[in-house]
Amino acid sequence: MRSILFVILISGLVNSHAQMSLDEYRETLDLYCVTCHNETLKTANLMLDKVDLDDPASDPMVWEKVITKLSLKTMPPVGMPRPEENFYPSFAAYLSKSLDKHAESEPNPGNMVIAHRLNRTEYTNVIRDLLGLEIDGAEMLPPDNSGGFDNLGDLLSVSEVLMESYMSAARVIGRLAVGDPAIQADSRQYMIDPRLLQNVRMNEDLPFGSRGGIAIKHHFPLDGEYVLNIRLQRTDNGYIIGINEPRRLDVRVDGKRVRLLTVGGENVGLGYARGGADAVAPDFNQAQYERTADSELQIRFPMKAGTRTVQVAFLEETFAWEGHIPPPSYENWYAARVERESERAWRDPAVSSIMLTGPFDVTGTGETLSREKVFICMPGNSTEESPCASRILANLTRQAYRRPVTADDVAPFMQLYEQGRDEYGSFDAGIQLALEGLLVSTELLFRIERAPRDIEQNEVYALNDIQLASRLSFFLWSSIPDEELLVLAEQGRLSEPSVLERQVRRMLADEKSMALVDDFADQWLLLRNLPQLHKNQDVFPDFDETLREALYQEVKLFVGSIFHEDRPILDLLRADYTYLNERLARHYGIEDLYGNRFRRVTLTDPNHKGLLARAGIMAITSYPNRNSTVIRGKWVLENILAAPPPPPPADVPPLEATKAREGEVLTLREKMEIHPANPACAVCHNQMDPIGFGLQNYNAIGKWQTEEEGKLIDASGRLPNGTEFEGPAQLQQALLRKPDVITSAFTQKLMTYALGRPVAYYDMPAVREIVRNATNEDYRFSSIVLGIVNSLPFKFRR
């Protein structure tokens, strides 16, 4: 009897996923889909009444759209009659198999632009790796056009302003790299955001026992003397804050103390800025002192050339409890500490900016990393100068061009060298002028992939190893290949499968792969919006610059851990940890975490776990005064499911214009439920809003809330496939039930970044192959990266 029941059960499972016939597919489409998607209505510009179901490869763009809808079960919309469950996986499998088979017989890798300009970030990284010089690309070059990722080749145009910026940058970089003795003293100011609280050690680059201040990377171009000026924070009417008592200011370079300064404590009368209003009018001399006390915070010091870390911070020596120390309970002691530290941040002095000026009394060019990279030889006499210059320029050109170079490649730069040598009278000056020319050369500024001469129009061909090395390095490092990678490419060994895999894993382990967090994740998750984010201070007085920075760092550290630890991509939505400092822990209501240093913290509350619980994500998907179910739902659809809704119609009324009964205050959910009542809005809002409702417990700065307008928050929601959930934890669990969908969406985003062009319908067979292979690797990050690197779109061109 048991065996019979087992056979019946297995038979039922097999039949439930049995492939349907073509006639059944057509009948189902006609009954449930063609009623909207036809040549008359043209809903979503998808017409299914005329397409050839026997040969999906005849119209792959249409059928790839259908596969996306089937995988998410977004159509027909929830509430409309739907086909039986078996139709979705069965029809999707039929279409995918047909399209993938066609892709094997007629491969289409698509095309990147032939000349792909480096974006600003890539240019900055190239200078770092070519010359060992840290530059501020944002200061030297205009911003790039951004239509998603800022490395999309079609958007990286060239303008006259941009070329002038390249010329100007090349002159500055050339002088800094070579160490031009004729460099005139110049000033560089580093500001601290006045909204940033300086009540603790600010970051890992500042010494223990410090408070507030700043640590910056500064390039000292020559051996000589430099002047440091320190300016302190002031009140709105110009009085320095908190100098009623002497405070010591520690100045260090690369961790070594340069000077210990003292400011404050010279009280000659009643003050202006001592933390409270005086009952008697302030003294004039004291007022003058409080305006100018930091004018003496200036030091002149000798420094060797090179890029160094300059650290300026107050010593942590003034904080002490007054009177009885409160008992160590969270409700009393911790809250009191928070209140006192917030008050103290405005009573104690704080650094506003530092300015470095120099060099003065130059003693030499110094031995910098830049000179070490440039001057691989030094001539002993005049007859050795030209051969040495040729070696130097051939070496730099090979690295800059990312390929072997010929005498013809180097010849223009040798001409510049000779011109500089004759005009300025020194070997270094000749190299400097040649370097400036190299920095504005076409093959440095553009990634150029030339087709072999014997290739016919529309023929598909494999990239050579040199081109593959460049694609690989700009994908994983946003920079040029290093020596190991370039040598393997020159030897023709990089395309060997085992060699290529070893190089990918080596490059992912290198610190330069942080570009995948700083550039890819920053843009994929819209984190670049966070530094410019503003919140209504009347509604969210806790949102300050310290919190903003903490929100930004948390998400970057969290995503970075998934990438660098090679964790499954699904951990983005299920990881039981995050990275917190004291300020952010307080924001989440987590106890017993102190100090400004971020550390990994295990989470126990399911509503705190995963990417959708990160306050930074919730903040950028909100308005200044409230959260937004629409923006949050759209963010999930676009970035987690790769199914962005179409743009809204132009005549949508603002949310505030929605009507309520007299005397009734509507919650955000109640207001939002009015919009889908309009049929024009319903198609998209019925997909976005139910997802956003599940995140309603996070306010506009990502803080947990249970009530709104005096009413309990209803965080129930629904995915486009009809799966219902309650709250953010269940939302993420519901998303994770479709691991292939999540992985496919991530792969599409990462492939767009890797290729420097949007993923198109003809790339989807490659995406599906990557996801299938990643399944066997538990969807680990490296399996997706390796899948992309070995894919047809990455290794081939048409």
Side-chain angles (χ1 to χ4, degrees), residues 281-490:
D283 181 270
F284 175 78
N285 291 330
Q286 179 67 15
Q288 289 296 101
Y289 172 69
E290 292 188 6
R291 282 182 179 275
T292 62
D294 58 2
S295 62
E296 297 182 0
L297 297 180
Q298 179 186 93
I299 60 173
R300 181 165 173 151
F301 58 98
M303 185 53 57
K304 294 288 186 181
T307 300
R308 306 188 182 282
T309 302
V310 179
Q311 304 139 303
V312 178
F314 283 95
L315 296 185
E316 173 62 281
E317 58 184 352
T318 60
F319 184 76
W321 290 104
E322 297 179 5
H324 177 64
I325 298 177
S329 69
Y330 177 71
E331 292 79 11
N332 297 323
W333 178 73
Y334 190 70
R337 171 188 171 126
V338 169
E339 181 179 352
R340 285 172 180 262
E341 288 203 352
S342 178
E343 178 185 352
R344 162 221 173 133
W346 297 110
R347 295 181 62 117
D348 281 358
V351 177
S352 174
S353 67
I354 65 173
M355 180 182 289
L356 281 157
T357 305
F360 303 101
D361 297 337
V362 174
T363 58
T365 56
E367 294 301 323
T368 65
L369 178 60
S370 299
R371 286 186 62 84
E372 181 182 327
K373 282 181 168 287
V374 171
F375 293 100
I376 58 172
C377 62
M378 288 299 291
N381 52 57
S382 59
T383 59
E384 295 178 358
E385 288 187 356
S386 185
C388 180
S390 180
R391 278 189 61 198
I392 289 172
L393 295 177
N395 175 61
L396 290 173
T397 305
R398 170 179 170 270
Q399 295 178 65
Y401 285 9
R402 300 150 323 252
R403 62 171 176 81
V405 293
T406 64
D408 289 341
D409 291 317
V410 181
F413 307 120
M414 280 301 295
Q415 291 175 4
L416 287 172
Y417 157 74
E418 290 165 1
Q419 177 185 335
R421 175 70 179 85
D422 293 341
E423 286 186 14
Y424 301 105
S426 75
F427 177 79
D428 286 14
I431 295 296
Q432 180 181 316
L433 187 61
L435 178 57
E436 291 174 16
L438 177 63
L439 294 178
V440 293
S441 60
T442 302
E443 292 209 41
L444 182 144
L445 297 177
F446 292 85
R447 294 159 54 194
I448 300 172
E449 294 181 345
R450 296 183 176 89
R453 292 182 179 179
D454 56 347
I455 294 295
E456 296 181 1
Q457 184 72 19
N458 289 324
E459 183 178 346
V460 174
Y461 66 93
L463 299 177
N464 62 42
D465 281 40
I466 296 294
Q467 294 166 336
L468 181 60
S470 191
R471 276 202 184 187
L472 190 59
S473 66
F474 279 96
F475 170 27
L476 301 182
W477 289 346
S478 292
S479 187
I480 54 178
D482 65 359
E483 184 66 14
E484 180 175 335
L485 188 65
L486 190 53
V487 166
L488 286 169
E490 290 170 338

Side-chain angles (χ1 to χ4, degrees), residues 51-64 94-106 761:
V51 289
D52 186 356
L53 195 57
D54 293 329
D55 182 20
S58 63
D59 206 341
M61 184 183 298
V62 169
W63 291 121
E64 288 294 355
Y94 164 71
L95 293 175
S96 298
K97 184 177 180 180
S98 300
L99 295 174
D100 293 351
K101 185 176 181 180
H102 179 261
E104 288 181 10
S105 60
E106 297 186 30
Y761 68 91

Side-chain angles (χ1 to χ4, degrees), residues 17 27 51 89 116 139 143 156 190 195 283 355 402 469 472 475 525 542 579 621 629 656 666 677 718 734 760:
H17 289 88
E27 290 174 5
V51 289
H116 188 141
E139 186 178 88
L156 291 168
Y190 300 90
R195 298 166 297 178
D283 181 270
M355 180 182 289
R402 300 150 323 252
L472 190 59
F475 170 27
L525 300 174
D542 290 343
Y579 292 83
T621 53
T629 57
E656 287 71 17
L666 298 180
R718 182 190 66 243

Side-chain angles (χ1 to χ4, degrees), residues 143 159 624:
S159 66

Side-chain angles (χ1 to χ4, degrees), residues 612-623:
L612 299 186
R614 307 283 53 84
I617 299 295
M618 294 297 97
I620 59 178
T621 53
S622 299
Y623 292 115

Side-chain angles (χ1 to χ4, degrees), residues 8 11-12 201 224 256 337 413 459 603 605 664 724 738 767 771:
I8 293 174
S11 175
R201 179 184 178 222
K256 296 180 179 179
R337 171 188 171 126
F413 307 120
E459 183 178 346
L603 303 170
D605 186 341
E664 182 183 11
E724 296 183 347
K738 290 284 188 178
V767 171
V771 173

